[in-house]
Amino acid sequence: MKKWLLGAIFAGVAAIGAACSNPSSMQGHDMSGMNMEKENTSAETSKQQLPLATNTEVLSGKEIHLTAKEALLQINDQVKLPVYTYNGSVPGAQIRVKQGDNVKIVLKNELPEPITIHWHGYPVPNNQDGVPGVTMDAIKPGETFTYEFTATVPGTYWYHSHQKSAEQVDKGLYGTLIVEPKNEEKVDRDYTLVLDEWMSNPDEGNMDMSGMDHSNMNNGNSSDNQQMDMSSMGHDMMNMYDIFTINGKSGSAVKPLKVKKGEKVRLRLVNAGYMSHKLHLHGHEFKIVATDGQPLKNPQPIKDELLNIAPGERYDIEFIANNPGEWLLECHGNMKGTDGMKVKIQYEDQTNNTDKENAKKDLPIVDMTKYGKHELGQFTLDQKYDVEYTMDLGTAMGKDGMVYTINGKTYPETAPVNVKKGDLVKVKLVNNSPKDLHPMHLHGHFFQVLSKNGKPITGSPLIKDTLNLKPGEEYVVAFKADNPGNWMFHCHDLHHASAGMVTEVKYTDYKSDYTPDPNDTTNKGE
Ligand code: C2O
Ligand code: CU
C-alpha cells in the first residue's frame, strides 16, 4: 500500500535517473531528435495566453488567501517560462506574521493538477504538514483547503508544494514565510532573496527526462550545453539548469536593493533550488544572524567570505550600509547560470559604479561549525539518547537507473526512525555518495548539529532543519521528539528524494486522523 507514496510525494523526476543513468541504455541511440529547435506546438500557443507573473506581494492578517495558478515568468530579456505560482508570482506571496499569531491560510487550487503546501522548517501540527499520502490528500484542481497553525517560532521559513514536488517546486510553486519575533529588533531594510535555477528550454529538459537518449552526449556533439560524463549523470543533469535567478529574475532583470548610508540592512536568503550557491557580498562586512530561522550566538563580522547556501537552507545576514556606491551580492562559481545570480545594492543618492564582478575568484567559505560564540546548546554528544540512528546516504544503480539510498534502501523500503513522544534522538548522517551533495531536511522539528567529521561544533549552537553533506562528510545531530506525527526526513535535492532518498521519523505512539484512501489515485502523482 505504501508503494505509491514515493510517487505521490516526489514523483516526476525519478524518470531522469532512469533515462540518464544507465550507461548501457545509452549505446547506439541517435540524438539528433534532441536538437534545440523549439516546436510551435499547441502547448506553446496556450503558453502565450498565460498572464505574465506579477511582483511578489506580502500578505498578513487573520486569514490569508492563496491561489495556485499558472503564469508566464519573464526571467530575463530573452527567456519567458511557463510557471506554477501561488498568487501569480514567483516566488509566491510572502506570508508575514507575528510570533504567537494564529495563521490561517486558505489555498485554492486553480492549477491543472493536484497540489499541497508544505511549511518547510516550520513545526506545524502533523496534519498541517502538507505531505500527500502521509498527512493529507493532495488538493485537486478546483478544490480549496485551509491550513491552520500557530506561529510558535520566529524566523525565515518557506513553503512549497509537496505533491510531485521535484517537478512542482521546479516550476516555481513556492513562497516565503516570515515570522516576526514578538520583540522585534528593528532594521531599516528587510529584503528576502530567493535563489533558484531554471532550464531555458524546459520542454527539452522534460524530453530529456522522460526517456530521450543520450548516446552522443559524451562525444562533443552539437548540443553545446551538455557535456555528459557518463559517470555522473545526476551531476550533469544539473548542467541543464542554465539560468540562475534571484526572486525569479536573472542578471540585470533582478531588482536592485536600495539602501541609504547608515542603515542597518537584513537579507533573508532562501534556496528554493536544487543546487548549492556560494554568495559573496561586496564592499561590506556582514554577520550571519540566523540559519533556518534559528538565531546564532554572537555572530562575528566577516568580509569577503562566501556564504554557501544549500537547497532548502535559509541564512539571515545583516550589514550596516557604510560604504556608499553600488555593490553586488553575487554567486561565485563557474556554472552556466552563475552569472545571472547577482543583485545590485544601490545607495540611494550615490550610485557611482565602482564595483566589479569577481564570480570566478576563489574565496574562503564561511565555516558554520566554527561561527559565532561557543556555548552549550540543548544537546551534547555524550549524553544519553533514547534512540540512535545512522543514515548512510548513498548512490547506486537500480534496475531502472540511478537511485539515491538510505542504508542501501530507497523509500518506502527505508527503515523509519521510530520514536515516542519525549524521546531524545541522535542521528548520524554519512554521505557515502562519490559526487552528490545531500542537503538533508527533517520535517516538523529542528535538530542541533553536534559534530562534523568527528569534531564537535566549536561555534554557536547550530540549530537547523536542513543540513548539507558533501561527499565523505559525517555529521551527528540530535533532536527531541516533541511534535507527534509521521514526518519526512529526506534529501532536498528533490531529484534525489524522488529517486529514493527519503525516510520518516515515525512516532509509534501517534495515531493519525488521516488514512490515505487506497482507491484514490490522486496522490499517486503520475
Ligand atoms: Cu522543503 Cu519535504 O520539504
Ligand atoms: Cu541528495
Side-chain angles (χ1 to χ4, degrees):
M1 194 261 332
K2 211 73 193 298
K3 241 324 189 196
W4 47 264
L5 288 183
L6 170 59
I9 298 160
F10 299 101
V13 199
I16 295 168
C20 295
S21 51
N22 187 344
S24 66
S25 74
M26 285 164 196
Q27 306 303 318
H29 287 277
D30 179 83
M31 225 204 38
S32 48
M34 198 240 153
N35 258 340
M36 313 281 141
E37 276 136 62
K38 252 186 147 177
E39 327 144 42
N40 231 310
T41 58
S42 54
E44 184 85 2
T45 330
S46 68
K47 239 193 248 176
Q48 311 300 348
Q49 288 153 6
L50 292 174
L52 269 188
T54 52
N55 291 330
T56 300
E57 52 183 347
V58 179
L59 300 177
S60 39
K62 290 248 169 307
E63 191 170 293
I64 287 161
H65 288 258
L66 293 180
T67 304
K69 52 188 173 189
E70 292 180 276
L72 260 192
L73 180 66
Q74 182 93 51
I75 281 190
N76 59 25
D77 290 352
Q78 283 99 46
V79 182
K80 248 190 227 167
L81 294 174
V83 291
Y84 279 6
T85 73
Y86 292 114
N87 282 13
S89 61
V90 175
Q94 175 168 92
I95 298 173
R96 217 170 166 111
V97 296
K98 274 246 168 346
Q99 185 181 8
D101 281 359
N102 185 51
V103 190
K104 188 168 177 186
I105 294 119
V106 183
L107 169 62
K108 168 136 208 271
N109 183 10
E110 288 181 1
L111 285 168
E113 56 176 319
I115 58 160
T116 66
I117 285 181
H118 161 62
W119 309 97
H120 180 118
Y122 218 72
V124 298
N126 192 239
N127 61 6
Q128 304 299 299
D129 198 43
V131 182
V134 176
T135 71
M136 67 181 288
D137 284 333
I139 307 156
K140 296 186 182 113
E143 285 182 357
T144 295
F145 183 87
T146 302
Y147 288 94
E148 221 170 332
F149 57 89
T150 306
T152 46
V153 254
T156 303
Y157 304 87
W158 65 300
Y159 65 92
H160 60 78
S161 180
H162 220 288
Q163 165 85 346
K164 290 166 74 183
S165 62
E167 234 175 56
Q168 293 189 354
V169 175
D170 219 25
K171 281 186 138 174
L173 203 48
Y174 57 74
T176 53
L177 166 66
I178 310 295
V179 180
E180 294 172 352
K182 276 204 189 105
N183 310 306
E184 175 82 291
E185 185 223 341
K186 277 285 162 225
V187 295
D188 301 296
R189 307 274 182 168
D190 187 335
Y191 292 111
T192 304
L193 304 173
V194 183
L195 316 178
D196 201 357
E197 314 91 26
W198 303 81
M199 298 182 195
S200 53
N201 193 338
D203 296 335
E204 191 184 293
N206 286 337
M207 179 175 80
D208 200 82
M209 288 175 193
S210 54
M212 61 151 287
D213 33 59
H214 292 273
S215 54
N216 292 334
M217 283 193 163
N218 57 344
N219 57 19
N221 98 343
S222 57
S223 51
D224 53 25
N225 63 337
Q226 270 102 13
Q227 301 214 316
M228 288 290 179
D229 161 17
M230 290 307 165
S231 64
S232 59
M233 291 309 282
H235 218 87
D236 290 311
M237 196 201 64
M238 288 303 182
N239 283 340
M240 298 194 301
Y241 288 111
D242 57 350
I243 307 180
F244 294 178
T245 56
I246 296 178
N247 292 343
K249 302 279 178 194
S250 188
S252 54
V254 185
K255 202 167 146 219
L257 309 177
K258 299 282 184 191
V259 301
K260 271 203 206 92
K261 189 170 180 210
E263 282 182 337
K264 185 168 188 181
V265 184
R266 176 185 300 147
L267 306 181
R268 302 174 188 266
L269 304 161
V270 180
N271 190 346
Y274 303 154
M275 294 162 83
S276 284
H277 297 287
K278 300 191 211 44
L279 293 195
H280 180 206
L281 174 65
H282 288 207
H284 298 80
E285 282 188 336
F286 67 99
K287 291 177 184 173
I288 307 166
V289 296
T291 180
D292 294 358
Q294 303 304 295
L296 293 158
K297 286 268 145 55
N298 290 6
Q300 72 269 22
I302 38 184
K303 191 157 189 257
D304 292 323
E305 288 189 44
L306 304 177
L307 181 56
N308 187 65
I309 309 178
E313 280 190 313
R314 288 88 63 214
Y315 288 88
D316 293 2
I317 68 171
E318 285 180 5
F319 66 92
I320 303 293
N322 56 8
N323 194 4
E326 182 178 281
W327 300 97
L328 288 171
L329 172 71
E330 67 169 355
C331 180
H332 273 225
N334 50 14
M335 303 286 296
K336 258 196 103 138
T338 305
D339 198 40
M341 189 176 274
K342 53 170 173 279
V343 56
K344 286 174 185 157
I345 295 161
Q346 283 177 345
Y347 281 71
E348 259 172 7
D349 19 56
Q350 257 265 11
T351 51
N352 51 314
N353 196 346
T354 42
D355 190 21
K356 287 208 177 43
E357 314 176 4
N358 59 0
K360 297 246 156 43
K361 191 166 175 194
D362 231 353
L363 291 170
I365 296 170
V366 182
D367 182 350
M368 293 305 293
T369 67
K370 300 196 167 83
Y371 187 72
K373 180 169 164 247
H374 188 58
E375 263 176 31
L376 281 186
Q378 194 183 353
F379 300 102
T380 59
L381 278 167
D382 43 25
Q383 78 187 74
K384 179 138 171 33
Y385 288 92
D386 302 293
V387 176
E388 299 192 15
Y389 187 102
T390 299
M391 259 189 219
D392 163 2
L393 307 168
T395 307
M397 194 60 78
K399 56 179 183 320
D400 303 315
M402 202 74 95
V403 294
Y404 295 91
T405 59
I406 297 177
N407 298 331
K409 301 244 165 65
T410 54
Y411 190 74
E413 264 79 52
T414 47
V417 185
N418 288 315
V419 303
K420 286 193 298 301
K421 184 163 191 231
D423 278 353
L424 303 185
V425 187
K426 184 161 96 170
V427 181
K428 184 206 261 185
L429 303 108
V430 189
N431 183 351
N432 286 312
S433 292
K435 294 191 175 170
D436 301 290
L437 307 177
H438 300 304
M440 295 300 293
H441 169 53
L442 171 61
H443 287 206
H445 303 73
F446 297 102
F447 50 76
Q448 185 184 344
V449 183
L450 297 178
S451 70
K452 175 184 178 185
N453 299 334
K455 290 201 203 83
I457 300 301
T458 56
S460 161
L462 192 54
I463 319 288
K464 296 183 63 63
D465 55 66
T466 308
L467 177 66
N468 189 40
L469 286 96
K470 293 196 222 116
E473 286 182 346
E474 175 195 303
Y475 283 87
V476 175
V477 306
F479 66 93
K480 180 164 184 193
D482 56 3
N483 193 4
N486 298 314
W487 302 98
M488 302 277 105
F489 199 157
H490 66 85
C491 183
H492 222 280
D493 177 333
L494 298 176
H495 296 321
H496 295 177
S498 74
M501 193 169 278
V502 180
T503 187
E504 281 179 60
V505 170
K506 275 196 163 165
Y507 285 64
T508 52
D509 50 353
Y510 173 74
K511 187 86 191 69
S512 175
D513 52 10
Y514 168 69
T515 336
D517 176 357
N519 299 314
D520 184 347
T521 53
T522 309
N523 299 320
K524 203 168 168 184
E526 278 315 2

